[in-house]
């Protein structure tokens, strides 16, 4: 039965992990894998999550299924985090709990497909390496819009705007709310406003991937594009993930929020979404979302979470600054200031695939082939070695 299947090459990141693990050089550096690391190179469980888990252990009396739409403490909590205080009628919005951001994106893609067979989703060039496969697997057409110039390491803002102006009315535009993966480069609030104006004029539908809220400039600051959009569009799709901002990667915690034109349409959208969920994976996993729901309902725990998240964000910013300074000190001919301007965990280092390969072979420094680095892999101890090695391969 399976003879006709062809072999699918493993994800490039898995190859990097196994090569890194097999490397015995003591000064090797992993800048590939997309998880946060602290100054000691660990991906710790947040202490506020430990507290919420203790609470769950004490109070949870059943492992019976939760509802298809998930835990209301969680869905109300993340909806408020994203949308803030707003005047939208509640019956036009719904949020469901999903198994991480990936599953939210897939459910949204399935929803788009059943809503309109001909719909096309426009993704940034480049974008997270699972966006296109997710759309493809759902049978949704996609095209790319210009986003990042690898020569100048800046946004291709004017080209993006020109492209948006020519997208057919009714198409969907997938955008990263903040901490664009893989480049880390986000539009500023002014640029968001311009993007929104063009999209509104051209009747395009925003589909926001909100996977890093709190890791760029703060929880409210990072939600600026979403909050501007809810003022401007009657229809909006938001996929969110708690993998990074709550450190819950393996617990699979995320949400899908859809805003519809009116309450009648919202009811239909919700029922269709729940049918997709039921037939794809049925009820969502409970544990991680229950912990997040508990934190978001408890003021003291919420405040503790914000402080921990601030530490995470500050460490990322500091490592960006340290790397940029170390490279500046080494190489007066090259400009690496874009590393400091970018947000969140990722940046393009701005080196060629050959130089990426040389860093791996000669110096034990691992990153994705396009030169995407996870700045959480940098520490004050390894930053000079990293800058020296980059200097050597340039
Ligand atoms: C842009 C983006 N969207 C969505 C996700 C999905 O995250 P998860 O499925 O782990 O919650 C990621 C994870 O790396 C991401 O970078």
């Amino acid at each position: 039965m399976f003879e006709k299947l062809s072999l699918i090459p493993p994800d490039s990141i898995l190859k990097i992990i196994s090569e890194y693990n097999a490397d015995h050089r003591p000064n090797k550096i992993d800048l590939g894998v997309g998880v946060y690391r602290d100054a000691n190179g660990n991906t710790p469980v947040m202490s506020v999550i430990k507290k919420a888990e203790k609470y769950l252990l004490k109070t949870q009396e059943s492992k019976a299924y939760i509802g298809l739409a998930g835990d209301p403490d969680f869905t109300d909590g993340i909806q408020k985090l994203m949308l803030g205080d707003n005047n939208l009628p509640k019956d036009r919005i719904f949020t469901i709990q999903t198994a991480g951001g990936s599953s939210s994106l897939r459910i949204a893609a399935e929803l788009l497909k059943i809503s309109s067979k001909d719909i096309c989703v426009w993704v940034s060039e480049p974008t997270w390496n699972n966006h296109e496969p997710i759309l493809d697997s759902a049978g949704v057409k996609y095209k790319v819009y210009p986003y990042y110039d690898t020569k100048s390491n800046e946004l291709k803002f004017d080209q993006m705007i020109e492209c948006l102006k020519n997208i057919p009315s009714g198409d969907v535009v997938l955008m990263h709310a903040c901490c664009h993966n893989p480049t880390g480069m986000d539009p500023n609030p002014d640029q968001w406003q311009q993007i929104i104006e063009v999209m509104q004029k051209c009747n395009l539908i925003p589909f926001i991937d909100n996977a890093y809220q709190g890791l760029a400039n703060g929880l409210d600051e990072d939600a600026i594009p979403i909050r501007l959009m809810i003022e401007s569009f009657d229809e909006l799709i938001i996929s969110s993930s708690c993998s990074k901002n709550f450190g819950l990667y393996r617990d699979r915690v995320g949400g899908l929020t859809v805003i519809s034109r009116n309450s009648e349409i919202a009811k239909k959208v919700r029922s269709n979404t729940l049918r997709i969920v039921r037939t794809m994976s049925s009820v969502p996993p409970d544990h991680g979302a229950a912990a997040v729901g508990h934190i978001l309902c408890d003021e003291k725990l919420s405040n503790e979470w914000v402080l921990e998240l601030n530490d995470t964000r500050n460490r990322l910013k500091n490592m960006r600054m340290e790397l940029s300074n170390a490279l500046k000190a080494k190489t007066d001919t090259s400009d690496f200031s874009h590393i400091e301007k970018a947000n969140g965990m990722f940046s393009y280092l701005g080196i060629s695939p050959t130089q990426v390969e040389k860093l791996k072979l000669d110096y034990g420094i691992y990153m994705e082939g396009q030169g995407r680095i996870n700045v959480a892999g940098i520490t004050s101890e390894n930053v000079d070695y990293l800058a020296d090695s980059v200097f050597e391969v340039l």
Side-chain angles (χ1 to χ4, degrees), residues 34-35 98-105 127-131 134 176-182 209-212 239-244 248-250 252-254 345-346 372:
V35 294
T98 61
S102 305
S103 135
S104 169
L105 289 160
T127 194
W128 178 45
N129 66 6
N130 210 13
H131 276 155
I134 285 174
H176 304 225
C178 64
C179 307
H180 181 269
N181 182 2
D209 186 348
N210 187 34
Y212 296 91
S239 281
S240 32
S241 165
C242 298
S243 298
K244 312 287 155 73
L248 283 166
Y249 311 87
R250 68 172 65 166
R252 312 308 299 135
V253 189
M345 298 209 319
F346 304 112
R372 185 197 79 162

Side-chain angles (χ1 to χ4, degrees), residues 198-318:
V198 172
M199 285 181 57
Q200 244 187 330
K201 236 185 235 158
C202 300
N203 189 31
L204 306 178
I205 298 157
F207 178 4
I208 309 293
D209 186 348
N210 187 34
Y212 296 91
Q213 189 177 352
L215 291 180
N217 294 304
L219 283 164
D220 287 323
E221 292 81 349
D222 295 354
I224 287 174
I226 296 177
R227 295 183 191 170
L228 289 172
M229 283 186 198
I230 60 174
E231 299 292 322
S232 315
F233 295 91
D234 335 320
E235 290 181 322
L236 190 68
I237 305 162
I238 311 167
S239 281
S240 32
S241 165
C242 298
S243 298
K244 312 287 155 73
N245 55 8
F246 283 89
L248 283 166
Y249 311 87
R250 68 172 65 166
D251 282 340
R252 312 308 299 135
V253 189
L256 172 63
T257 299
V258 183
I259 301 178
S260 302
R261 214 160 262 160
N262 60 46
S263 65
E264 278 312 299
I265 299 176
K267 266 190 230 155
K268 291 189 211 167
V269 179
R270 188 173 191 279
S271 68
N272 277 274
T273 306
L274 291 179
R275 190 188 147 99
I276 292 166
V277 170
R278 178 75 177 131
T279 54
M280 268 176 62
S281 50
S282 196
V283 301
D286 170 67
H287 181 76
V292 171
H294 177 59
I295 292 166
L296 295 179
C297 284
D298 180 307
E299 201 181 330
K300 189 162 165 279
L301 290 182
S302 287
N303 292 338
E304 278 181 48
W305 170 60
V306 170
L307 292 180
E308 280 192 72
L309 187 59
N310 290 350
D311 287 347
T312 305
R313 182 175 64 249
N314 289 336
R315 184 177 130 62
L316 293 173
K317 280 196 185 298
N318 287 340

